[in-house]
Amino acid sequence: MRISPDMITTLRPDEVFVFGSNLAGMHGGGAARLAYERFGAVWGQGVGLQGQSYAIPTMQGGVETIAPYVDGFVDFARRHPEKRFLVTEIGCGIAGFTPAQIAPLFARAAEVGNIWLPARFWDVLSR
């Protein structure tokens, strides 16, 4: 299984830190802050690739509002097999969701060899 590390503090040149953001791109806390401080996230950009990070908005409503952004991410990762995408537990911190709510959004990602998911997401997807 492709399990992303629980704590990501450095990246190889081909790795991308995938984090939960807000649509306004105010990367003030949690993994978003780490993405901003270390991995090139751009203040004011709440979606997509930024430096060695990729933002997926999680703060705008329910799980159904996150799904299109996850789908867009999976499609992006498929088009970029030269990169390894390390997904954090997006939405499971400040946004207040659980892995049981968010992991099913990543079901398509299980088939994409360059997407690494958190262990708790794999636990949900393997049930």
Side-chain angles (χ1 to χ4, degrees), residues 103-120:
L105 301 178
F106 286 89
R108 287 181 48 231
E111 308 164 1
V112 183
N114 61 334
I115 297 177
W116 293 46
L117 298 175
R120 295 196 314 166

Side-chain angles (χ1 to χ4, degrees), residues 3-56:
I3 299 173
S4 52
D6 289 333
M7 180 63 73
I8 300 169
T9 57
T10 60
L11 294 173
R12 296 186 334 208
D14 64 334
E15 291 179 327
V16 177
F17 181 82
V18 182
F19 68 100
S21 68
N22 58 65
L23 284 169
M26 307 304 258
H27 307 308
R33 184 177 184 97
L34 181 63
Y36 177 70
E37 291 177 348
R38 293 197 182 185
F39 305 129
V42 176
W43 197 266
Q45 183 179 337
V47 182
L49 186 67
Q50 332 173 16
Q52 274 190 275
S53 64
Y54 188 102
I56 298 176

